[in-house]
Amino acid sequence: MSTKTPPYWKGTNVVLDAGWGDSGKGKFVDIGSQYADVVVRWAGGPNAGHTVKNEHGEFKFHLMPSGIFNTLCILGDTVVIDPHVLLEEIDEMESRGFPLTPLNLLISADASLILEWHKHRDALTETARGGKKLGTTGRGIGPAYSDRTERTGLKMFHLYESNFEKLFEREFRWQSKLCKLMGGDHEAFDYDGMLAHLKNARERLKPMVQNVIPLIWKMHDAGKNVLGEGAQGSLLDLDLGTTPYVTSSHPTIAGFGIATGIHANKVKRVLAAVRAYGARVGDGPFPTELFDKMGEHIREVGHEYGTTTGRPRRCGWFDIIATWYGARVAGATHIALTKLDVLDDVEEIKVCTAYEVDGQKYDARNLPTIKPRFLDKAQPVYKTFPGWQVSTRSVKKFKELPIKAQKYVLFLEKHVELPIKFVSVGPDREDTIAR
Ligand code: IMP
């Protein structure tokens, strides 16, 4: 597979998102995974959502890596897996003529399981936050990761332990007690139903569950093409994002290292997808958010609705400070600027070049923190660009873009301080300008 690999995709590389997620990295994983010997997903779980279109049809995935139709994919150690969701996705693929085997999907034995109580606790915790809810996807992500850091909860390998039923019973009792203490309805859990479901999942997933790190290392050490597939975005990183309005995993290059033991300095390129404008779903600070008709226009043209929850995404202008920061913590070496075509009809485009807080100006280099205690007060300072107002959809070369669009892209490149390697001007693989 590696023989015809373009130089860009040789070796161990990562594609991730340097914003608040959903920036269109799936397309670049699709491109990169054509050449990959293995794709490793490391962040989040069924909170993610991506659509994959190909000759088998259109698929809406949450857990399945986007590279699944192209090469061997691995759900890594730090992914949290809801067996219901995974089996549904496997069934969907099988019913459309793409059966899954260990030759195309492997699941880490150390991945944590998301079970009913995690979703229940997710909802209870959101209620307990009162007016300060995070707007989670409700998929049980936070509670599954908190069990992981508490060193409790069931992992994939537990399904195959000889005392699994005992482990399940203990877990059931503990989680029921926890939910009751949290004020939930612990009677809601169906012991027999859950156990039967897990036994079914155990049988079906058995050929794919294994210790994945030795295989990843073997491929990396042999110079094969290993591609890390990100999920969510670096501004949603548990620690370095807009905490607490973040997810519970590490969507940055550090997260790839935690999951695989391959450290950042051993990764050749980190391609960060960034939209040509701003967007986020869920609550939390977003200084360049638009509440007017322009925000609605971007949402409609950009189809900015969550794949997992269907929620309308909040839309706004490109934010150089947040993107510079997001790309830096992502460990990005290059940018894939996505959805440029969404701005085709816009008369005047704004870019946030600084924040003003309490009369003082801040740019990316003197940003005190990305946390809400600062960002909530940040007033964006904008530079205005004339829109190009022609379609960029069929453009294949950078020099063929309207001059105004070129100027816009070059301005972003200069100020984000990273090369924009790809510009995406439409959803299909062909709608991509490589530079
Ligand atoms: P959780 O990951 O479900 O706990 O949600 C925490 C925050 O992360 C919420 O604001 C979600 O909307 C956001 N989030 C989680 N996963 C994604 C994603 O894949 N794309 C965009 N936002 C996400």
Side-chain angles (χ1 to χ4, degrees), residues 99-318:
L100 285 165
T101 72
L103 292 177
N104 43 34
L105 183 67
L106 292 175
I107 303 162
S108 168
D110 291 288
S112 294
L113 296 180
I114 300 182
L115 298 172
E116 292 312 307
W117 33 76
H118 294 118
K119 289 173 254 184
H120 209 65
R121 280 167 52 193
D122 198 347
L124 288 169
T125 312
E126 279 287 76
T127 317
R129 291 190 237 267
K132 292 235 172 220
K133 69 178 178 52
L134 303 189
T136 72
T137 59
R139 297 297 183 103
I141 304 298
Y145 277 115
S146 73
D147 280 0
R148 196 175 168 90
T149 49
E150 274 203 89
R151 291 139 297 163
T152 59
L154 295 174
K155 293 187 175 181
M156 266 296 162
F157 77 89
H158 285 129
L159 295 175
Y160 304 97
E161 300 277 280
S162 55
N163 63 345
F164 167 64
E165 286 199 28
K166 211 173 174 106
L167 293 173
F168 177 74
E169 190 196 333
R170 197 164 59 197
E171 187 68 10
F172 187 93
R173 272 195 275 113
W174 165 246
Q175 295 281 356
S176 299
K177 214 186 280 179
L178 207 58
C179 288
K180 192 171 180 189
L181 281 171
M182 289 176 78
D185 175 12
H186 72 296
E187 304 290 345
F189 306 129
D190 165 10
Y191 185 93
D192 294 331
M194 282 183 76
L195 186 58
H197 164 66
L198 283 177
K199 285 182 170 174
N200 173 45
R202 172 170 75 177
E203 284 323 301
R204 293 202 52 202
L205 302 177
K206 191 172 180 181
M208 301 172 199
V209 177
Q210 68 173 58
N211 301 316
V212 296
I213 287 194
L215 175 70
I216 299 171
W217 284 6
K218 199 169 151 191
M219 289 192 152
H220 171 77
D221 292 349
K224 299 272 185 197
N225 301 334
V226 177
L227 184 68
E229 172 174 343
Q232 290 81 46
S234 52
L235 296 178
L236 288 174
D237 182 272
L238 175 63
D239 294 298
L240 289 162
T242 50
T243 319
Y245 296 96
V246 291
T247 191
S248 299
S249 65
H250 300 289
T252 60
I253 190 63
F256 177 75
I258 293 168
T260 61
I262 297 175
H263 292 279
N265 62 0
K266 301 277 190 265
V267 174
K268 286 174 87 174
R269 295 179 191 85
V270 179
L271 180 65
V274 167
R275 282 183 189 81
Y277 49 91
R280 85 174 288 180
V281 65
D283 293 359
F286 177 14
T288 60
E289 181 169 10
L290 288 165
F291 299 95
D292 57 7
K293 288 227 167 329
M294 181 54 69
E296 276 168 39
H297 173 82
I298 295 176
R299 177 157 49 246
E300 291 316 311
V301 179
H303 307 291
E304 295 290 0
Y305 291 89
T307 318
T308 301
T309 57
R311 289 178 291 181
R313 296 192 187 120
R314 302 154 64 195
C315 294
W317 298 122
F318 192 98

Side-chain angles (χ1 to χ4, degrees), residues 56 68-69 90-105 208:
H56 300 280
I68 193 72
F69 291 100
I90 291 176
D91 286 345
E92 177 74 14
M93 291 180 74
E94 290 189 348
S95 72
R96 299 218 236 150
F98 197 91
L100 285 165
T101 72
L103 292 177
N104 43 34
L105 183 67
M208 301 172 199

